[in-house]
Amino acid sequence: MSEKQMIRRAFVASGQVQGVGFRPFVYRLAHEGGLTGAVGNTSDGVRMEVQGLPEEVERFGVRLQKELPPLARLTALRREDMAALPGEAAFAIVASDGHAGHSVLVSPDVGICGDCLADMADPENPRHNYAFTNCTNCGPRYTITRSIPYDRAVTSMSCFPLCPRCAAEYGNPADRRFHAQPIACPDCGPRLWFVDKAAAMAGRTGIEHFRADCGLAGPEACSGPDADSTHVHDCADAAPRAGLPGAEAAAREALRRAGRVLLDGGILAFKGLGGFQLACDARNERALALLRERKNRPHKPLALMADCLETVRAFCDLSPEHEALLTSPEKPIVLCPRRAAKPRAPYDTDGVDDLNGPGGPGETAGTGSADGAGTPDGPELPFLVAPDVGQVGVMLPNTPLHSVLFAWLKAHAPVPPVLVMTSANAGGEPICLGNREAVARLAGLADAWLLHDRDILVRVDDSVISLRPRADVVDENGPPHRAAPFFYRRARGYVPRPVFLADGGEKADGGPSGASGCNDAACVFGAGAELKATICLTRGNEAFVGQHVGDLENPATLAFYEEVATHMEKLLEVRPSALVCDLHPDFLSTRYAEARAARDNIPLWRLQHHAAHAASVLAENACFGPALALCLDGTGLGDDGTIWGGELLLMQLDTPQWQRVGCLSSFALPGGDAAVREPWRIALALGQQAAEAGHCLPEDVQAAAPWLAGYAAAARAVEEMLARQINCPATSSCGRLFDAVSARLGLCLCITYEGQAAIRLEDAALRAGGALGEVMAGRMEDLRRVAELVWPVGMAFRSGLLTLDSAGLYARVVQAAMDGMPVEEVAARFHLSLAAAFASMTGRAARKRGVGVAALSGGVMQNGIMARLLPFLLERQGLEVLCHHELPPGDGGLSLGQAVWGRRMLAAGARMEAGA
């Protein structure tokens, strides 16, 4: 080929292009096209220079976008023609080139792929049953990465020098592990060991102690688990690991002992991908009860892990969509409908709930069969797994270590194994990260520990999702709506994937035709709320919402919050120019933002809680013009000093501005936070308010109140508080209204975890019979058959706001219960009536203001019934409905709204300074 015929072109790919097999993919395309040149990681992404015939260079550019590796994601692809280089004869992968600032998307951690599972299952493969097998298509990423460009030297694998075999695979462009940074094998990779209770108490927690106990000789470079709070090994200490005698035998023995702990009914602390998990046999009721007792978690559902879909199908009714989510690369916890061998017993509504009485939480109801076991054909899991709901959270093994443990259990258990896999922490604390930390903090929770020496650099809990609740409407011209993923907790597998932003009302799709993610837009920090806290950092047209931190109620969780903020800023190489926090002055996230704004001398804006919810869902949907947002949750400080939670807001993000246009009528929370923990207090207060308004008789309110038997003295004290208006803050909270109805129906008088009362109310509604039950399940063709069952809810214009009558709706519940209506029907009619009232209020506000868009956000939208009813009813009002699709509707997604609000405030300030 004549050099005069050749052209040379540079391509710079931005996005998720490092750590996903992108350079090997480029190398293969270049060789197939007979092209010369080079490819390398840079702080801008991946830079490629290719030289060859014009048609082959053009074809290379097309294939680059159309044939991406499974985990790659392009957000920008820039091209530049260059002068051809004479005499170039090959295509090469060159060393990484980094500089300050970058537009690379760091890959989330990826569940183990089928090819690696096949390697592990092959007795002839060097990685047979190796617990740290990975390739360019799977394995740890975010949790082991310190900085960009993504190379082994900046990961926690840097202290594991490659053996000759791994080095050959790493350097072979035709190999699946070509430049797979976490590549490892039994000869050179991380090691596994086991610590029992006795060894932990004796301080014998290192791998050398375990090997000595097993009778395996051999020098050890490391004297134990990660040595300090940085969780970073000294690389020089790793050299003697290669070819360590008995390493595979030690791993097999560690797995055997861990498996025996589980089969014998014990609790195992397991070092997972983003932190430690506590595991026990989910079929063993005694093990479940022991775990709940030690974690002080009497009722909150426990997540499960099963080895394969076939096992999950035995105890869950799975749709193809459920199975697709379970087997996706993210390997999240998926909420799946439970398959029960016998009908669930209804809640006891004649008195105090057995699970929730005044004497404290107990385990006397809903615990399933006596033996706690099952078979593949009749595997009824104990109800103690999830006593409040008819669904269970399930995941498949997401690491090779999970897979080899299940392989051992499957070979030794009488039935297919199912394990509880829950976060390894005491209530309210962050998950454990390092080995020494886990041995110390979990001493009162675990019976044994399964440890390894690959450091986790940042804590990341498991993600929790379900199918998006959708109304199924019969369409003669096509199939019903199909469900999509819906987030409850966004963490492992999804973080740090960004939400792409559009500031001018244009939808940002993150496609390769867009501008680079690294532009001149200032970085804004969204501080999040108090519960389900997350942070958000913006970089150009990208918003990075961090992993679920938890509830910011103690110093340990605040320290985790600060870890996430520091790690993400370092990883993204950004520095905030402004901060946005919640209006509540006592949130730890607010105090963090205040201190940081003062330290860095940067602007701080305070955005009302529900306005942040509204901004979040509108930003996700690139809606910057006028829109109504229905924000329904438990608690958020209003700008009038009261507690909001059932709000209709009018927002325009491009200005930016918002106003409150509607709400639930307020009611009292006797005792403040005590009323949240004891919903019967709210029910008592709403009953009195309903009687005073003439909605019902005072004697009807008091008659058969479920709390009288166990809380008579306390009830008298609450009545006195209400009469004298002592510590009875007002609220318009939709979540607290759900709690009150749940208490009045005897479903939940006191909660042991957030949202429990509302969760039980939803579960009861889903068990309603007939057409009403069909509507609760989302089959809206039956809605016309139940129209007469909708209770009318009063709507009035008060103090400039459209206001729904909370007490009037509560009075309907009281009267229905007095009339002997089944609890399930009352619960269902409450959901239906409240949704219809909110839709009517929103439609009225939309017509008055000429707005055609309604958005939905807030924790109440995690209620599947409301998430099905409200979009359907709002669409019948002629509105376009926007919902969350990339973030949870609860407080876990709120930091995005704060950060986007800050961006718009900065932009508005810039325009004003320019005289625009």
Side-chain angles (χ1 to χ4, degrees):
M1 166 175 34
S2 168
E3 291 185 355
K4 293 182 179 180
Q5 296 177 303
M6 294 191 297
I7 65 170
R8 188 177 188 87
R9 183 169 296 162
F11 297 83
V12 178
S14 298
Q16 193 168 295
V17 291
Q18 294 189 16
V20 294
F22 194 81
R23 287 178 296 172
F25 158 70
V26 169
Y27 186 95
R28 177 176 58 83
L29 293 187
H31 272 263
E32 290 176 1
L35 302 173
T36 62
V39 59
N41 284 341
T42 75
S43 293
D44 294 321
V46 173
R47 179 178 176 84
M48 300 149 275
E49 292 184 14
V50 294
Q51 181 168 302
L53 292 173
E55 59 269 25
E56 290 296 339
V57 172
E58 291 292 337
R59 184 166 173 262
F60 173 88
V62 172
R63 296 183 68 190
L64 197 61
Q65 299 181 59
K66 290 188 174 181
E67 302 177 22
L68 288 172
L71 303 180
R73 186 181 185 189
L74 283 182
T75 60
L77 183 63
R78 302 196 301 276
R79 301 168 176 84
E80 178 187 354
D81 288 331
M82 307 176 69
L85 296 181
E88 187 177 62
F91 190 88
I93 294 180
V94 298
S96 298
D97 175 30
H99 59 77
H102 66 82
S103 58
V104 175
L105 297 184
V106 179
S107 171
D109 301 293
V110 184
I112 185 168
C113 70
D115 289 335
C116 285
L117 285 173
D119 289 346
M120 293 167 60
D122 181 2
E124 302 301 318
N125 192 289
R127 294 182 178 85
H128 176 57
N129 281 340
Y130 181 55
F132 304 95
T133 302
N134 63 83
C135 70
T136 55
N137 295 325
C138 70
R141 299 290 193 276
Y142 175 59
T143 53
I144 65 168
T145 303
R146 293 188 184 90
S147 62
I148 289 296
Y150 176 71
D151 285 310
R152 191 178 181 93
V154 296
T155 74
S156 60
M157 290 298 295
S158 61
C159 58
F160 295 93
L162 295 178
C163 68
R165 179 176 58 235
C166 286
E169 293 173 325
Y170 185 89
N172 180 4
D175 196 280
R176 194 174 86 251
R177 295 185 172 91
F178 179 54
H179 280 248
Q181 305 307 334
I183 186 174
C185 77
D187 290 339
C188 64
R191 301 159 300 172
L192 196 64
W193 71 96
F194 174 88
V195 175
D196 62 19
K197 198 79 155 182
M201 293 179 66
R204 295 177 54 83
T205 59
I207 187 171
E208 77 280 9
H209 302 123
F210 175 67
R211 289 172 59 82
D213 291 343
C214 297
L216 296 169
E220 287 298 333
C222 181
S223 61
D226 27 28
D228 57 37
S229 61
T230 63
H231 313 294
V232 178
H233 286 292
D234 182 349
C235 293
D237 286 345
R241 292 173 180 163
L244 192 65
E248 293 182 73
R252 287 195 298 271
E253 179 61 14
L255 285 168
R256 186 193 70 81
R257 295 190 187 188
R260 288 266 40 115
V261 168
L262 294 169
L263 293 184
D264 291 342
I267 298 171
L268 178 71
F270 179 102
K271 189 173 184 180
L273 196 58
F276 277 77
Q277 299 166 304
L278 290 176
C280 73
D281 183 357
R283 301 187 191 277
N284 186 320
E285 286 198 61
R286 291 186 178 181
L288 287 171
L290 182 64
L291 177 62
R292 287 195 175 279
E293 179 184 356
R294 290 182 181 178
K295 285 204 72 173
N296 190 25
R297 184 173 171 168
H299 311 114
K300 190 175 182 180
L302 295 167
L304 304 179
M305 181 178 282
D307 63 320
C308 63
L309 285 176
E310 183 180 0
T311 300
V312 181
R313 291 187 193 110
F315 59 86
C316 287
D317 290 317
L318 299 182
S319 68
E321 292 81 8
H322 286 113
E323 295 186 2
L325 292 177
L326 284 165
T327 57
S328 67
E330 294 83 1
K331 297 291 192 299
I333 297 171
V334 182
L335 300 182
C336 302
R338 189 170 185 156
R339 173 177 291 171
K342 58 185 179 183
R344 278 194 69 188
Y347 291 114
D348 176 12
T349 60
D350 296 328
V352 175
D353 188 338
D354 288 335
L355 283 172
N356 225 359
E363 306 297 350
T364 58
T367 54
S369 59
D371 58 11
T375 66
D377 297 323
E380 185 178 354
L381 294 174
F383 277 119
L384 199 55
V385 167
D388 289 340
V389 291
Q391 56 186 359
V392 290
V394 189
M395 56 181 156
L396 297 180
N398 53 70
T399 71
L401 181 52
H402 288 109
S403 298
V404 294
L405 178 60
F406 268 94
W408 189 93
L409 291 170
K410 196 168 184 179
H412 295 85
V415 292
V418 181
L419 298 180
V420 167
M421 278 284 179
T422 189
S423 303
N425 56 348
E429 295 181 356
I431 57 174
C432 292
L433 186 70
N435 294 338
R436 296 182 187 225
E437 175 192 358
V439 171
R441 283 179 53 195
L442 304 179
L445 300 178
D447 297 309
W449 291 256
L450 187 59
L451 305 176
H452 61 75
D453 56 355
R454 184 182 70 203
D455 291 334
I456 303 168
L457 299 183
V458 60
R459 306 167 209 266
V460 181
D461 217 326
D462 295 314
S463 295
V464 181
I465 66 174
S466 71
L467 299 185
R468 176 171 300 282
R470 289 295 302 265
D472 288 332
V473 182
V474 173
D475 181 356
E476 295 179 357
N477 298 317
H481 291 301
R482 306 303 293 178
F486 181 74
F487 284 94
Y488 287 79
R489 183 169 75 198
R490 184 177 180 269
R492 178 183 55 75
Y494 298 94
V495 173
R497 188 178 297 168
V499 175
F500 289 94
L501 304 176
D503 284 328
E506 300 282 336
K507 178 65 177 174
D509 59 7
S513 60
S516 168
C518 192
N519 58 35
D520 293 333
C523 172
V524 178
F525 181 97
E530 181 175 58
L531 302 181
K532 302 178 178 66
T534 62
I535 63 110
C536 180
L537 286 161
T538 66
R539 185 185 69 181
N541 70 333
E542 302 159 338
F544 296 85
V545 177
Q547 64 266 38
H548 167 85
V549 171
D551 299 343
L552 291 179
E553 296 178 334
N554 55 62
T557 309
L558 177 61
F560 177 24
Y561 174 92
E562 293 171 343
E563 284 176 18
V564 174
T566 300
H567 184 73
M568 288 196 69
E569 286 181 36
K570 180 180 178 182
L571 203 60
L572 298 173
E573 296 185 359
V574 295
R575 189 76 177 171
S577 299
L579 302 100
V580 183
C581 67
D582 195 89
L583 197 62
H584 201 298
D586 295 330
F587 284 179
L588 293 182
S589 57
T590 299
R591 293 177 181 176
Y592 171 86
E594 289 172 341
R596 184 138 187 212
R599 183 193 74 193
D600 297 344
N601 193 28
I602 57 177
L604 169 66
W605 288 287
R606 304 171 198 274
L607 182 62
Q608 196 278 328
H609 188 88
H610 301 94
H613 272 300
S616 177
V617 65
L618 294 176
E620 270 199 60
N621 290 276
C623 178
F624 288 82
L628 290 165
L630 200 53
C631 301
L632 311 176
D633 66 359
T635 298
L637 181 64
D639 58 12
D640 60 358
T642 65
I643 301 168
W644 293 4
E647 311 307 317
L648 181 63
L649 307 182
L650 177 64
M651 178 168 281
Q652 186 161 335
L653 265 181
D654 60 1
T655 314
Q657 58 184 339
W658 69 274
Q659 69 177 108
R660 189 189 194 195
V661 297
C663 63
L664 283 173
S665 64
S666 62
F667 49 91
L669 293 177
D673 288 345
V676 178
R677 296 188 297 269
E678 300 179 1
W680 65 267
R681 292 171 176 254
I682 312 172
L684 190 157
L686 266 168
Q688 284 198 6
Q689 185 174 332
E692 291 167 1
H695 293 308
C696 54
L697 298 173
E699 54 267 29
D700 290 343
V701 172
Q702 294 294 334
W707 52 86
L708 292 180
Y711 297 91
R716 288 191 294 272
V718 167
E719 289 169 356
E720 183 68 15
M721 292 170 65
L722 288 165
R724 299 172 62 182
Q725 284 299 292
I726 298 174
N727 193 19
C728 292
T731 184
S732 58
S733 167
C734 185
R736 300 291 83 85
L737 180 59
F738 272 81
D739 292 351
V741 172
S742 183
R744 185 58 183 82
L745 297 180
L747 297 174
C748 188
L749 302 181
C750 301
I751 66 168
T752 63
Y753 64 92
E754 187 202 1
Q756 183 179 19
I759 286 170
R760 288 187 173 187
L761 186 66
E762 178 188 2
D763 184 67
L766 288 169
R767 291 187 277 112
L772 188 58
E774 295 296 304
V775 171
M776 295 297 102
R779 288 176 279 278
M780 295 303 168
E781 64 268 19
D782 289 307
L783 190 58
R784 63 183 182 278
R785 297 168 54 194
V786 299
E788 70 278 3
L789 300 181
V790 176
W791 289 318
V793 179
M795 187 190 312
F797 199 68
R798 299 177 186 168
S799 303
L801 301 174
L802 283 173
T803 307
L804 297 178
D805 187 359
S806 306
L809 178 56
Y810 180 79
R812 296 280 185 173
V813 171
V814 171
Q815 190 59 55
M818 289 285 296
D819 293 342
M821 184 180 294
V823 167
E824 294 82 2
E825 183 177 345
V826 180
R829 292 183 69 174
F830 167 77
H831 279 81
L832 181 60
S833 303
L834 184 61
F838 274 126
S840 178
M841 179 174 72
T842 306
R844 180 172 167 180
R847 289 187 293 273
K848 179 179 179 180
R849 289 165 172 79
V851 175
V853 177
L856 295 168
S857 190
V860 170
M861 296 313 301
Q862 292 179 327
N863 177 308
I865 297 173
M866 298 296 283
R868 285 186 288 269
L869 284 173
L870 276 170
F872 180 80
L873 294 173
L874 288 169
E875 286 173 358
R876 290 180 63 175
Q877 294 280 340
L879 295 169
E880 178 188 358
V881 181
L882 306 179
C883 299
H884 289 278
H885 49 88
E886 295 188 66
L887 298 173
D891 286 0
L894 179 144
S895 61
L896 171 68
Q898 294 172 331
V900 169
W901 187 265
R903 281 166 55 95
R904 302 310 307 155
M905 292 292 287
L906 287 173
R911 286 198 301 271
M912 287 187 290
E913 290 171 4

